[in-house]
Amino acid sequence: MNIENKSFSELLKASMKSDETEEWLDIYFTRPVGLAFALLWYRLGVTPNTITILSIFLGVAAGAMFYFQDVWYNIIGVVLLVLANLCDSTDGQLARLTNQRSMKGRCLDGFAGDTWFAAIYLAIVLRIWHQPMPGTTEVWGLFGLALAAIAGLVCHTQQSSLADYYRQIHLYFLKGKAGSELDSYAAEHAIVESLKGKKGVFWDWAFHSNYQNYCRNQERRTPEFQKLRQELSERYGTVENIPAEWKEKFLEGSRPLMPLTNFLTFNSRAILLYITVLANCPWVYLFVEILLYTVVYMFMHKRHEDHCRAMRELLKACRRRTRQKNHL
């Protein structure tokens, strides 16, 4: 895309994935501000991956500020995390506008977010370590560590990865292969195998090896969608060959789940984190993530699997009608 000849509104629309998968906070704040920064970085010749690396430093610094109970340190942490998130938005927008999207950039982007929250969870654990649990004289100590481990590793990582997967599925049927980042374990595993034994490709191998595991984890949790994907591939080959009415029917069922996928990603967590840290009760964040977010995750997962099962049945019905017509 020729950035120089486009208006800000045109660039803003082009830099978004889709209106259906964006949150209102992103549409009216994060994306416009991110685009302004993206245009600045573009003129300075800065690459999207460089911006992602900058976001890692900002996110880790934010985590360090959340360790302190002093409200001013916490406010600095809030500002730093907002800036990290703006960088996260900026790198993606710049990559889309300049056609610099890559699997490595996507992996690095995911690694950046994981690093922010690893620092934040560690800061919360250290902050509450010697604090008494509400209504008792017992300090949080190892229990706080266990709570953070459950919230981060069991809940947050799994919830965010599946929410991202569902958004990519939605974009796949909405905008086709080019508008989505819906990858597969089989494709990534083939790349990993092709790189084995070659010299000078260690980092390529490491990226694809890590990403294949990420894809496998998503696919294991979505058996109904995997069956649907396989049947569509066998019948139509590419997504572009799937009938438009079938895709719209799928999108009708997927669209109501997009707000849930957004809820399970960054913005709602960040707002909850800001409130609990500034109120000096960050342990509340961990409990809400384990309890409320898990309920939303389970509901979203069931609805999407049920929807994929129903769409498979619709696909079979279409196939039967086609056979009947051919028979006649």
Side-chain angles (χ1 to χ4, degrees), residues 188-253:
E188 290 303 312
H189 183 66
I191 295 173
V192 170
E193 290 298 308
S194 71
L195 294 174
K196 281 185 177 179
K198 293 185 178 179
K199 294 181 179 180
V201 295
F202 172 78
W203 289 113
D204 285 338
W205 175 87
F207 271 109
H208 285 283
S209 182
N210 176 69
Y211 192 51
Q212 73 167 351
N213 293 329
Y214 180 78
C215 292
R216 178 165 53 185
N217 179 274
Q218 291 173 320
E219 291 175 5
R220 281 177 174 173
R221 288 180 286 152
T222 54
E224 288 298 328
F225 173 70
Q226 301 313 317
K227 294 174 186 176
L228 176 63
R229 189 180 191 182
Q230 180 64 30
E231 291 186 20
L232 288 170
S233 177
E234 291 173 355
R235 181 166 184 178
Y236 298 107
T238 66
V239 66
E240 285 72 24
N241 294 331
I242 299 173
E245 59 271 19
W246 188 95
K247 287 191 283 190
E248 181 52 39
K249 189 72 176 176
F250 183 92
L251 293 172
E252 283 179 13

Side-chain angles (χ1 to χ4, degrees), residues 59-180:
V60 171
M65 292 298 102
F66 293 146
Y67 162 74
F68 301 98
Q69 295 184 43
D70 187 296
V71 69
W72 291 109
Y73 280 95
N74 296 163
I75 290 173
I76 293 172
V78 169
V79 172
L80 288 172
L81 192 56
V82 169
L83 290 174
N85 187 47
L86 285 172
C87 284
D88 180 63
S89 175
T90 298
D91 61 13
Q93 288 174 280
L94 183 59
R96 283 188 287 276
L97 289 174
T98 58
N99 294 318
Q100 296 182 67
R101 289 185 297 176
S102 68
M103 188 280 300
K104 288 182 182 179
R106 179 164 161 74
C107 286
L108 185 61
D109 196 55
F111 173 76
D114 290 343
T115 305
W116 304 350
F117 277 95
I120 289 167
Y121 289 127
L122 179 60
I124 291 175
V125 170
L126 295 175
R127 176 171 173 164
I128 67 175
W129 189 272
H130 296 293
Q131 290 182 6
M133 290 185 273
T136 74
T137 57
E138 295 293 323
V139 297
W140 285 98
L142 289 174
F143 183 72
L145 176 61
L147 199 65
I150 294 170
L153 299 175
V154 178
C155 299
H156 185 157
T157 343
Q158 301 301 313
Q159 294 162 2
S160 297
S161 68
L162 197 64
D164 177 63
Y165 194 53
Y166 286 159
R167 283 193 295 194
Q168 297 308 325
I169 292 171
H170 190 85
L171 289 169
Y172 181 72
F173 290 114
L174 179 67
K175 304 180 75 172
K177 179 67 176 174
S180 168

Side-chain angles (χ1 to χ4, degrees), residues 17-36:
K17 295 177 181 178
S18 79
D19 292 340
E20 296 180 4
T21 57
E22 299 281 1
E23 291 183 76
W24 67 268
L25 185 60
D26 290 332
I27 292 173
Y28 296 107
F29 173 70
T30 309
R31 297 306 186 197
V33 176
L35 177 59

